């Protein structure tokens, strides 16, 4: 089929309903009725899509599920996750419940600081001198920003300091300023402040600001979580508890020392964290960028988690910057994000980050245990069976029945799924 021949005249200025019409009517419709319904025909959802992004055409429904059984800082938690990947929710629920039976996960977070960056090319003065002048004058910054920051200060947040550094290689002064953004992600506020400081910096230095923007590095949002499990809880298949503990630490060593494995290891961690970010309409890309940059902070990409053994227990820990928000942006606006936050009892932003860290750690535990135990495929394939059943045409309760038949058969492909579905329907007719 030919791709959508964009640009369609008038597309940008049309309403979402007009756009859906444009792509689904003659002379050469790209979408048919089932494409329209797959991208939602619900008028309220279409209106929402329209005000959220440009050129909206519909929505992409991603399943929203619940990872159950977590105990985080003594609070039982069900965690909403939006993901297209089977086994993410099952794996998180498995590890979350196992760890909960042995004391749960504990976390710690810092104050929610985000950082703005301004890169300044000095004028006639030497760079190091400009840097000194800026540092001497930095007391003036909170005064300059006070009206912008007044609402945030009223909520307990606001300005928390400024640094300036001469970057010889770049030939620029880099200014970093920090804001406590409380429950927000802070991107808009930081960017507004960064641009407000621009003329002041240029006047003071006689130089020119090249750019001013938030950094997604989010080092001020470092979040930690940890758990421990007795060897007796680790037994898996033919491997004893102590063997599993050793194997898991060796599995972690691989991710620690080999960046090629660390990427997949951390991707598994982000399976949970990004799904929570999506369920709550947080900035998934910002959170992922922060996490992966942190994994490479020492110049070599490595694991975001650590595992070790102490006194017949396996310990697991994670440390990662998690700039989650619970107000502003998509979070404050999207009704589905609000519904997801209700599941968590409306946490603060730092609590949500702590839940995300615990979730990422549990997700990683589940993957590492499966990989160093019986292997990942058996569990995955059973869940994949649901998709195969759907693709083969199963609907309603046929899906789970066909899934069971596929697992029993052990051959996971469409022809087998179709054959088993025919047999299933045949049996139904006979009975
Ligand atoms: C799959 O989405 C995630 C895993 O590959 C993670 C890992 O290998 O640690 C299972």
């Amino acid at each position: 089929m030919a791709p959508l021949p964009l640009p369609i005249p008038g597309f940008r200025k049309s309403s979402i309903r007009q756009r859906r019409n444009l792509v689904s009517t003659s002379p050469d419709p790209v979408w048919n009725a089932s494409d329209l319904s797959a991208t939602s025909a619900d008028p309220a959802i279409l209106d929402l899509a329209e005000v959220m992004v440009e050129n909206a055409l519909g929505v992409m429904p991603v399943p929203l599920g619940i990872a159950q059984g977590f105990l985080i800082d003594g609070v039982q938690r069900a965690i909403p996750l939006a993901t297209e990947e089977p086994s993410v929710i099952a794996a998180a629920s498995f590890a979350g419940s196992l760890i909960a039976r042995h004391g749960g996960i504990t976390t710690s977070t810092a104050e929610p600081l985000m950082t703005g960056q301004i890169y300044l090319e000095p004028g006639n003065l030497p760079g190091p001198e400009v840097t000194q002048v800026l540092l001497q004058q930095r007391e003036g910054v909170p005064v300059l920003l006070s009206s912008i920051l007044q609402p945030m200060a009223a909520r307990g947040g606001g300005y928390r300091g400024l640094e300036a550094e001469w970057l010889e290689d770049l030939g620029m002064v880099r200014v970093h300023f920090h804001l406590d953004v409380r429950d927000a992600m802070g991107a808009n506020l930081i960017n507004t402040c960064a641009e407000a400081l621009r003329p002041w910096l240029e006047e003071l230095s006689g130089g020119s600001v090249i750019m001013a923007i938030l950094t997604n590095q989010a080092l001020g949002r470092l979040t930690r979580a940890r758990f421990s499990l007795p060897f007796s809880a680790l037994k898996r298949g033919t491997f004893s508890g102590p063997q599993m503990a050793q194997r898991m630490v060796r599995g972690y060593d691989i991710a620690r020392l080999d960046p090629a494995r660390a990427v997949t290891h951390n991707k598994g961690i982000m399976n949970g964290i990004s799904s929570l970010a999506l369920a709550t309409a947080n900035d998934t890309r910002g959170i992922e960028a922060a996490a992966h940059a942190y994994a490479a902070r020492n110049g070599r990409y490595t694991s975001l988690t650590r595992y070790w053994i102490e006194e017949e227990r396996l310990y697991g820990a994670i440390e990662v910057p998690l700039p989650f928000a619970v107000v502003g942006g998509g979070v404050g606006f999207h009704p589905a994000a609000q519904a997801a936050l209700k599941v968590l009892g409306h946490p603060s932003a730092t609590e949500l980050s702590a839940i995300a860290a615990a979730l990422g750690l549990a997700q990683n535990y589940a993957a590492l245990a499966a990989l160093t135990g019986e292997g990942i495929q058996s569990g995955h394939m059973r869940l994949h069976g649901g998709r195969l059943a759907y693709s083969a045409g199963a609907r309603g309760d046929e899906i789970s029945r066909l899934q069971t038949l596929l697992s029993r058969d052990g051959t996971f492909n469409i022809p087998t799924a179709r054959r088993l579905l025919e047999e299933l329907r045949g049996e139904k007719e006979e009975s």
Side-chain angles (χ1 to χ4, degrees):
M1 178 178 284
L4 187 63
L6 285 175
I8 297 175
F11 195 81
R12 188 172 66 82
K13 292 198 170 144
S14 305
S15 70
I16 187 164
R17 287 167 184 79
Q18 288 166 333
R19 281 187 217 112
R20 286 165 72 79
N21 248 340
L22 281 168
V23 300
S24 59
T25 48
S26 300
D28 195 11
V30 172
W31 274 8
N32 58 26
S34 52
D35 298 321
L36 288 171
S37 105
T39 52
S40 187
D42 180 332
I45 300 279
L46 292 182
D47 286 342
L48 183 70
E50 176 90 297
V51 293
M52 286 192 76
V53 300
E54 311 73 39
N55 287 354
L57 202 51
V59 293
M60 165 71 196
V62 173
L64 176 67
I66 298 286
Q68 299 201 81
F70 277 77
L71 182 67
I72 304 172
D73 298 322
V75 180
Q76 286 181 326
R77 295 254 184 216
I79 308 179
L81 300 181
T83 178
E84 89 303 340
E85 183 170 336
S87 86
V88 166
I89 296 175
S93 302
F94 155 73
S97 311
L98 174 71
I99 298 168
R101 289 197 291 280
H102 296 275
I105 302 176
T106 53
T107 71
S108 65
T109 49
E111 290 299 292
L113 292 192
M114 292 294 281
T115 299
Q117 313 191 285
I118 305 164
Y119 289 89
L120 173 76
E121 221 161 38
N124 295 329
L125 289 176
E129 209 170 296
V130 170
T131 311
Q132 282 318 309
V133 172
L134 296 181
L135 287 173
Q136 276 154 15
Q137 300 294 324
R138 66 180 152 182
E139 253 93 279
V141 172
V143 181
L144 267 170
L145 298 179
S146 67
S147 61
I148 302 172
L149 289 177
Q150 198 274 328
M152 184 55 84
R155 300 209 298 271
Y159 182 75
R160 294 291 185 270
L162 178 145
E163 295 130 26
E165 194 181 339
W166 169 242
L167 304 179
E168 184 72 51
D169 287 356
L170 203 55
M172 290 187 204
V173 182
R174 185 186 65 187
V175 174
H176 270 179
F177 66 94
H178 312 289
L179 299 186
D180 180 329
V181 294
R182 294 285 94 193
D183 281 331
M185 197 264 194
N188 267 334
L189 187 65
I190 296 254
N191 294 343
T192 307
C193 289
E195 293 196 359
L197 291 177
R198 210 177 161 137
W200 176 76
L201 286 167
E202 288 181 340
E203 199 176 313
L204 213 64
S205 64
S208 169
V209 167
I210 299 293
M211 70 165 72
I213 181 117
L214 157 113
T215 168
N216 282 110
Q217 201 179 23
L219 286 177
R221 300 293 314 268
L222 267 194
T223 311
R224 298 180 178 87
R226 69 189 277 169
F227 70 85
S228 78
L229 285 171
F231 282 177
S232 57
L234 303 179
K235 185 180 163 9
R236 220 172 154 112
T238 55
F239 297 114
S240 68
Q243 279 173 328
M244 273 309 299
Q246 295 287 354
R247 291 178 68 81
M248 287 185 68
V249 172
R250 293 304 285 151
Y252 152 65
D253 280 341
I254 301 173
R256 179 167 61 87
L257 294 173
D258 182 2
R261 166 62 199 154
V263 177
T264 323
H265 180 95
N266 291 343
K267 184 270 182 186
I269 293 169
M270 298 313 287
N271 273 348
I273 294 174
S274 297
S275 302
L276 175 60
L278 190 58
T280 53
N282 265 282
D283 181 349
T284 50
R285 289 82 52 217
I287 290 166
E288 282 160 7
H292 291 294
Y294 195 67
R297 66 192 176 284
N298 295 324
R300 177 189 172 125
Y301 189 87
T302 185
S303 166
L304 287 167
T305 51
R306 284 187 304 122
Y307 289 84
W308 69 99
I309 292 170
E310 248 175 65
E311 294 177 358
E312 314 231 316
R313 291 183 84 88
L314 175 72
Y315 284 76
I318 187 168
E319 180 182 272
V320 57
L322 291 173
F324 272 80
V326 294
V327 299
V331 195
F333 180 73
H334 201 302
Q338 290 302 310
L341 286 174
K342 277 187 194 165
V343 172
L344 291 167
H346 287 294
S348 68
T350 45
E351 280 166 345
L352 186 57
S353 299
I355 292 167
L359 170 69
L361 179 59
Q363 201 83 55
N364 183 238
Y365 173 88
L368 197 57
L371 285 166
T372 57
E374 73 285 1
I376 206 95
Q377 274 314 80
S378 57
H380 268 193
M381 288 322 277
R382 157 134 190 94
L383 293 161
H384 181 58
R387 290 186 174 203
L388 276 180
Y390 185 90
S391 305
R395 293 294 180 270
D397 68 353
E398 285 177 345
I399 296 176
S400 65
R401 293 174 65 195
L402 185 54
Q403 205 175 356
T404 307
L405 292 178
L406 278 163
S407 285
R408 249 184 241 153
D409 188 281
T411 312
F412 291 89
N413 59 32
I414 286 284
T416 312
R418 288 209 181 107
R419 175 176 57 77
L420 291 172
L421 182 61
E422 269 174 34
E423 285 173 20
L424 188 73
R425 287 181 174 163
E427 277 168 26
K428 216 173 177 179
E429 268 169 28
E430 274 169 32
S431 60

